[in-house]
Amino acid sequence: MGSGYYYHCEKCGVNYDVSVGAGMAFPEVYRQAVKDVLDGAYGREWQEAARGIEHFAVDAELRLYRCDDCGCWEVGYGMSLYAPKDVGKLLKKQFGEKTAGEWGYVPYVMEDDLHEDYDLVKERVHSCEKCGKPMSVVDVESGEAPALKCPECGGDLSNSGLCMCWD
């Protein structure tokens, strides 16, 4: 399930929602992320790295990234690449009515699976569109709305106090 917060800029009046995580459509989102990597949408380096890993995985969950320098923020997919620790074990893992081996591929890989069954191969660093510096992942799961600036005017965003859970 995904989660997030609603924000409003008192200065310019723009509203934002920050939604992170994974919803019910995650298997389709994951398949598209894998296809995009293999098709070169994330560059030749990512494409070649993925093609060199049997049953590679990609971090396809939505995350909030914020620039530590200028405060600019964005929501995007992690897109780091992973290699399975044990391909044989992975192929025996159940996905619905079949195992990954029976499917002939791994239908999806969630964040917990990445930590348990995979090793990080290439970490995707998200760069700030405004200043070009690396962005950090912001913990949205903590239950406290992160402090954010308005991308339109730079004003402080106020959180409505509402947290959303989405599928």
Side-chain angles (χ1 to χ4, degrees):
M1 178 182 311
S3 62
Y5 293 94
Y6 297 105
Y7 289 93
H8 177 75
C9 180
E10 298 295 333
K11 189 174 177 182
C12 71
V14 177
N15 294 314
Y16 299 94
D17 70 76
V18 175
S19 302
V20 298
M24 296 293 285
F26 185 72
E28 180 56 36
V29 169
Y30 184 81
R31 280 191 290 278
Q32 186 62 51
V34 167
K35 182 181 181 318
D36 289 346
V37 168
L38 291 173
D39 289 347
Y42 290 91
R44 188 172 180 83
E45 183 181 354
W46 245 242
Q47 182 183 42
E48 289 175 2
R51 287 184 176 168
I53 303 168
E54 183 181 15
H55 300 291
F56 79 93
V58 63
D59 174 5
E61 292 198 29
L62 285 170
R63 303 196 190 301
L64 173 61
Y65 296 91
R66 181 175 51 208
C67 180
D68 295 330
D69 193 60
C70 71
C72 191
W73 60 274
E74 67 180 29
V75 173
Y77 296 105
M79 297 311 294
S80 291
L81 294 180
Y82 294 80
K85 292 178 181 176
D86 183 340
V87 173
K89 178 182 168 189
L90 178 66
L91 293 177
K92 293 176 186 171
K93 189 169 183 175
Q94 200 74 28
F95 290 90
E97 69 271 3
K98 297 181 186 179
T99 64
E102 291 170 325
W103 283 112
Y105 61 94
V106 179
Y108 58 89
V109 179
M110 303 291 293
E111 183 177 15
D112 290 344
D113 300 322
L114 290 174
H115 296 300
E116 186 176 320
D117 300 328
Y118 292 83
D119 291 318
L120 178 65
V121 174
K122 292 190 76 53
E123 183 175 9
R124 179 164 182 249
V125 176
H126 291 253
S127 298
C128 179
E129 285 185 16
K130 186 175 177 182
C131 71
K133 295 193 176 165
M135 300 176 94
S136 300
V137 176
V138 178
D139 180 16
V140 176
E141 305 287 325
S142 69
E144 188 174 315
L148 299 174
K149 298 278 187 192
C150 179
E152 296 294 320
C153 71
D156 291 332
L157 294 179
S158 63
N159 174 255
S160 66
L162 298 174
C163 176
M164 65 178 142
C165 295
W166 59 273
D167 262 334

